[in-house]
Amino acid sequence: MSETASISSGIAARYATAIFELSLESKALPKLEAGVDALADALDGSKDLRDMISSPVISRADQGAAMAAIAKKMKLPPALAQGLGLMAQKRRLFAVPQLIGCLRGMIAEHKGEVTADVTSARALTKAQSD
C-alpha cells in the first residue's frame, strides 16, 4: 500500500469509527447505511463532487458549505453530515471514498455479513449467480 493510501485509510478509519459509534448509539444504523449508499452514488455520478473533495484550491469554508448543502439536500443522517462537516473543517474530505469503504465494512460486520470473491472456471448461469 502506498504511503498516501495508508494515510487516507487511517484518517478515514478514525472518522468512520466515530460516525458508526454515534449512529449505533442512536439506533440509526439503517439510516447510516442508506446515507452511505447515497453518498457513494453521488460520488460515482458527479465529477464535480469528486473534484471538490480533492481540491486544495477550494477553501475549508467553501468545502464545508458545499458539504453541508449536499448533506441537507440528500437528507444524510446527522452523524454522517456532521462527520463530513468536520472533515471539511480539517481539510480531510479527500478521504471520503475511504470513509465510505470503512463505514460499509463496519455496517456489514455489525450485521454479520461476510464478503467473498468467487472464481469460476466457466461463466456461471443465471441460477448459479443468483
Side-chain angles (χ1 to χ4, degrees):
M1 183 182 286
S2 74
E3 186 176 334
T4 305
S6 177
I7 290 169
S8 294
S9 294
I11 290 167
R14 289 189 293 276
Y15 284 98
T17 299
I19 292 167
F20 179 81
E21 288 178 359
L22 287 170
S23 297
L24 187 61
E25 284 176 15
S26 63
K27 298 179 175 41
L29 280 183
K31 289 180 182 178
L32 176 64
E33 185 172 17
V36 168
D37 290 342
L39 183 60
D41 290 344
L43 271 177
D44 289 342
S46 175
K47 182 180 180 329
D48 290 338
L49 179 57
R50 290 189 304 272
D51 290 346
M52 188 275 294
I53 66 169
S54 62
S55 175
V57 178
I58 300 172
S59 72
R60 292 175 196 224
D62 289 344
Q63 281 184 329
M67 288 310 296
I70 289 167
K72 183 177 180 179
K73 175 96 173 153
M74 294 176 66
K75 297 181 178 150
L76 297 179
L80 182 56
Q82 291 167 358
L84 291 170
L86 185 59
M87 289 176 79
Q89 286 177 357
K90 303 290 184 181
R91 296 290 267 182
R92 301 288 188 250
L93 286 178
F94 63 86
V96 168
Q98 292 86 354
L99 173 80
I100 291 168
C102 288
L103 284 169
R104 283 182 166 163
M106 290 175 178
I107 292 166
E109 184 177 330
H110 181 75
K111 291 168 54 175
E113 295 176 350
V114 178
T115 302
D117 291 324
V118 177
T119 305
S120 174
R122 310 186 200 131
L124 300 176
T125 66
K126 176 154 176 43
Q128 290 171 327
S129 64
D130 288 344

